Amino acid sequence: MASSIVDKSRRNDRLAAWLIKAGGLFVIVAVIGILMLIARVALPLFYAPSADRLPEVSAELQALLATDGSGTSQTRELGESGSLTITLLPGNRFAVQRRNVEKDLLGNEKTTEQSYKLSDTLPGTISTFWLGRKGQNLYAGTDNGWLVRWDLSGDGEGRLIETVEAFKDHRRITALATVLGDNSLAVGDARGEITTWMPIAKPGSGEDKQLALIHHLPGFAQPVSRLLASPRDKSLAAFDAGGTIKLVHMTSERLLLELQAGLPVTAAAFADRGRQLVVAGADGRSVAWKLDIPHPEISFSTLFGKVWYEGYNKPEYVWQSSAATDDFEPKISLMPLIFGTFKATLFAMLFAVPLALLGAIYTSQFMAPSLKGRIKPAVEIMAAVPSVVVGFLAGLWLAPLMDKHLLALFLATIMVPAMLMAAILVWRPLAEKTEIGRNLKGYEFLGLLPVVVLALWLSGQLAVPLEATFFGADLKQWLYSALGVRYDQRNSIIIAIALGFAVIPIIFTIAEDALSNVPRNLSAASLALGASRWQTAWRVVLPSALPGVFSAIMIGFGRAVGETMIVLMATGNTPIMSWSLFNGLRSLSANIAVEIPEAPLNGTLYRTLFLSAVLLFVLTFIINTAAELLRQRFRKKYGRY
């Protein structure tokens, strides 16, 4: 060969090598760049809050100090319905004055006054009290550690609901305040501790809920002198007698900021929807800060741990990003989403892996080559079906169909394998001894298709009388009444079938290629030594192709983890943590698709969704890395095929 041709060929090879390296580096850099872009949006969730002291306190801010609710009398304006005033009297008594305003259809107002006293016997001397912002509850703390609550919501006189021994050591309760929403009560005591309490339903309490301790917040080394709730979120400003101020968040239990007023605080108020804090001392001096606390509700515990939310009877993993009221407590636990991702993937793989691998083994080792040339491309075409089409069919056709024939599905999972095994046992003696058996060699599965159809038909026929006999003609109602299991139409069974349908072509194709690429001399040697075709496929071919088969499974696993449209359309998108087959789920990817259109730009929800994307990215990276390490081990153990 001419040297010029050889040189040209070498130059082309070097150029191709450089292009491949450049392309590979570009892909790596692009992937890292995407990860950094996503992480850059999510990272501000964990930035530390800051506060800037204002050089001077405006008259507007100083006017807000007059709204401080401390003292022996507290008044709450109840909108157009009037007002309520509570005054602490000597002898552990309260005077209640209610002004009721009523309007008729013509707009005429009628004002009435109501006065009464609360003189209930209490377990200690009242040291502090708090009237809820909505005027429905009156709370009092005693000098020996008891909490007392009255219900003032009715038109009649107030009713004592409960007395709770808050602290066994009988420490003095020094400050009370309800956080935004008036559902939770913050309590400061003489030991400097800050706790929050919430009415919950307890056994034997009847219709009245009882106060329960739900959160411990960062406190002081000396007694808490006052508490101030933020009008923006579930944050609190706590003060001690030395002028130290701590801003804490109830849900995340975070210490957001610690400020020094330089003087004992006698009055305090939030301004600008909680973005500014102004305090004043006994000498009339005022100090104000501008607060920058972008995401106070975010912490490791709120993202990945159980949290005791308002309205719940115990700590839970909850995702609920929005509500109808401004005093809503964001519930942004990622655990239900991570759980839903793994649940959907696991059920899909349990459905897809056996079918795909057994199909690949049969196609590569037993099927006739002419039939294989038609079947394999047909299965590969399944991968070209858009996932939105699969999700559409699963949600709008398969789910209602399964809802009507649930028992038939369960019977089919038993009858189809049983009848296939029976047909195979009948077929084996005829396979080599009859002309029909020898002619159908490599086409056996065609003879089994009628068996599958017959098994499905029998399952449908038997389901109706069995359901009427054993389950009261309604299996779904029986599941709920007998087992307490709810059946959702779009459930994990639907997602397993739909997502499995999308994964099967990938696993089948890669696994079949790996099995077919095992050198024929290995299988020929096994057959020559007297092994059967199945023994050869199971003990010789499959171990030799195990690295490729394992790669097929892991690629299918990665495909299932990141799937969005099928999971979005085929499940109820319910972020719950339950292994039940009959419940829906919500995955990380589906949650991003559902929530991102409604997430305010750079808000907590917006950045949390980007954090979900980072977790999904890291999750797939870890899975693929572990899969590659295992594949290398299999390759060293079973050979290079």
Side-chain angles (χ1 to χ4, degrees):
M1 184 180 294
S3 59
S4 59
I5 297 177
V6 174
D7 293 340
K8 183 178 180 181
S9 177
R10 290 176 177 174
R11 285 196 303 270
N12 291 338
D13 290 343
R14 287 195 295 270
L15 179 61
W18 279 106
L19 289 175
I20 293 173
K21 291 179 181 178
L25 289 174
F26 175 78
V27 171
I28 294 173
V29 171
V31 171
I32 295 175
I34 293 172
L35 177 59
M36 293 179 62
L37 177 64
I38 298 173
R40 181 183 177 186
V41 179
L43 196 58
L45 284 173
F46 307 100
Y47 285 174
S50 61
D52 296 326
R53 188 162 179 166
L54 299 180
E56 61 179 356
V57 181
S58 65
E60 181 181 358
L61 290 179
Q62 291 197 18
L64 290 174
L65 295 174
T67 63
D68 184 88
S70 59
T72 59
S73 180
Q74 296 180 18
T75 301
R76 299 288 181 259
E77 296 295 333
L78 306 180
E80 296 182 353
S81 60
S83 63
L84 182 66
T85 300
I86 300 293
T87 303
L88 178 60
L89 303 175
N92 264 13
R93 296 180 304 157
F94 286 104
V96 182
Q97 293 181 330
R98 182 186 296 272
R99 182 174 61 89
N100 297 317
V101 178
E102 298 179 358
K103 286 186 178 181
D104 57 21
L105 295 177
L106 300 177
N108 299 317
E109 292 187 359
K110 179 182 178 181
T111 302
T112 58
E113 300 285 344
Q114 180 186 13
S115 299
Y116 57 89
K117 289 183 174 62
L118 301 175
S119 303
D120 301 283
T121 302
L122 303 181
T125 302
I126 295 174
S127 56
T128 184
F129 71 97
W130 180 263
L131 177 60
R133 295 291 182 184
K134 299 178 181 179
Q136 296 180 346
N137 290 285
L138 172 63
Y139 302 91
T142 68
D143 59 354
N144 58 351
W146 285 75
L147 286 173
V148 187
R149 181 164 65 107
W150 288 269
D151 180 12
L152 307 180
S153 59
D155 294 332
E157 296 188 357
R159 177 173 62 94
L160 177 65
I161 299 178
E162 60 177 329
T163 56
V164 178
E165 187 178 15
F167 304 108
K168 298 295 184 181
D169 58 358
H170 303 295
R171 72 187 74 162
R172 181 185 181 89
I173 295 177
T174 57
L176 296 175
T178 51
V179 298
L180 180 67
D182 258 13
N183 294 315
S184 298
L185 175 70
V187 179
D189 58 58
R191 290 181 53 181
E193 294 185 4
I194 306 170
T195 54
T196 56
W197 300 68
M198 179 184 68
I200 66 170
K202 293 183 178 180
S205 62
E207 296 182 358
D208 290 328
K209 296 182 177 181
Q210 296 183 356
L211 288 172
L213 175 62
I214 60 173
H215 293 292
H216 286 274
L217 306 180
F220 301 95
Q222 53 184 312
V224 180
S225 62
R226 66 178 53 239
L227 295 168
L228 178 64
S230 169
R232 184 181 184 186
D233 50 38
K234 303 294 182 178
S235 298
L236 286 166
F239 305 82
D240 69 3
T244 301
I245 307 170
K246 288 188 176 182
L247 276 79
V248 295
H249 193 272
M250 183 187 74
T251 308
S252 62
E253 300 183 353
R254 286 177 57 191
L255 173 59
L256 304 174
L257 286 170
E258 183 170 339
L259 307 174
Q260 296 295 332
L263 70 166
V265 176
T266 58
F270 279 105
D272 190 21
R273 291 284 298 167
R275 297 180 180 89
Q276 293 182 351
L277 175 66
V278 57
V279 300
D283 57 0
R285 289 186 300 157
S286 300
V287 182
W289 292 269
K290 182 179 180 181
L291 308 177
D292 183 17
I293 312 175
H295 309 290
E297 62 273 12
I298 293 297
S299 67
F300 186 85
S301 61
T302 57
L303 290 173
F304 302 103
K306 286 187 176 181
V307 179
W308 199 333
Y309 296 105
E310 291 181 338
Y312 287 73
N313 291 329
K314 61 180 181 178
E316 298 280 2
Y317 296 111
V318 183
W319 173 274
Q320 185 182 356
S321 59
S322 60
T325 59
D326 292 337
D327 56 16
F328 165 70
E329 184 178 24
K331 305 171 182 66
I332 48 178
S333 174
L334 296 178
M335 291 305 296
L337 310 179
I338 297 173
F339 178 86
T341 300
F342 279 107
K343 181 181 178 181
T345 303
L346 175 62
F347 287 175
M349 296 299 286
L350 289 176
F351 176 79
V353 169
L355 295 178
L357 291 188
L358 292 175
I361 293 173
Y362 177 78
T363 303
S364 64
Q365 303 300 314
F366 299 96
M367 186 176 287
S370 59
L371 188 58
K372 174 182 174 181
R374 296 182 177 90
I375 295 298
K376 187 178 179 182
V379 175
E380 291 173 348
I381 288 176
M382 290 169 55
V385 178
S387 58
V388 67
V389 175
V390 178
F392 176 80
L393 292 175
L396 297 183
W397 173 75
L398 182 60
L401 179 66
M402 205 68 68
D403 185 56
K404 296 179 181 179
H405 305 286
L406 181 60
L407 184 58
L409 171 67
F410 292 151
L411 290 175
T413 59
I414 299 174
M415 295 196 64
V416 171
M419 293 186 65
L420 283 176
M421 293 301 298
I424 291 171
L425 292 176
V426 172
W427 174 256
R428 285 189 64 185
L430 304 176
E432 300 294 338
K433 298 179 181 179
T434 63
E435 187 68 23
I436 297 177
R438 287 189 290 270
N439 292 335
L440 287 179
K441 188 175 182 179
Y443 297 87
E444 295 90 350
F445 93 99
L446 294 177
L448 294 177
L449 288 179
V451 177
V452 174
V453 174
L454 178 61
L456 294 175
W457 181 80
L458 287 176
S459 300
Q461 295 299 311
L462 293 174
V464 176
L466 287 177
E467 189 170 11
T469 303
F470 297 102
F471 305 107
D474 192 342
L475 176 59
K476 297 185 290 296
Q477 181 60 38
W478 181 87
L479 288 172
Y480 179 72
S481 58
L483 305 179
V485 176
R486 290 184 178 274
Y487 179 86
D488 299 328
Q489 188 180 84
R490 299 185 181 184
N491 51 49
S492 299
I493 301 175
I494 304 302
I495 195 62
I497 297 174
L499 193 53
F501 179 86
V503 171
I504 283 175
I506 299 173
I507 301 177
F508 172 85
T509 300
I510 300 175
E512 200 279 333
D513 288 339
L515 292 165
S516 297
N517 288 333
V518 174
R520 290 297 179 185
N521 55 359
L522 293 179
S523 56
S526 176
L527 293 171
L529 291 173
S532 66
R533 296 171 67 194
W534 171 248
Q535 289 173 326
T536 299
W538 182 252
R539 299 184 180 182
V540 177
V541 177
L542 183 59
S544 299
L546 192 58
V549 172
F550 184 76
S551 296
I553 295 175
M554 295 313 298
I555 291 174
F557 187 89
R559 166 78 166 85
V561 167
E563 177 55 47
T564 301
M565 291 309 300
I566 295 177
V567 181
L568 180 64
M569 302 178 71
T571 67
N573 283 309
T574 49
I576 57 177
M577 298 182 68
S578 170
W579 284 109
S580 173
L581 286 170
F582 309 111
N583 290 335
L585 53 89
R586 180 181 287 194
S587 68
L588 285 167
S589 56
N591 185 69
I592 294 172
V594 169
E595 300 277 1
I596 199 65
E598 305 298 329
L601 182 64
N602 295 331
T604 299
L605 175 58
Y606 181 84
R607 297 192 187 278
T608 303
L609 294 177
F610 274 82
L611 178 62
S612 302
V614 173
L615 290 178
L616 196 57
F617 197 106
V618 172
L619 178 64
T620 54
F621 176 80
I622 293 174
I623 291 172
N624 291 334
T625 302
E628 180 61 22
L629 293 176
L630 289 174
R631 191 185 72 84
Q632 294 295 339
R633 290 189 60 183
F634 289 146
R635 190 167 185 175
K636 290 179 181 179
K637 183 175 181 179
Y638 295 109
R640 62 186 185 89
Y641 305 107

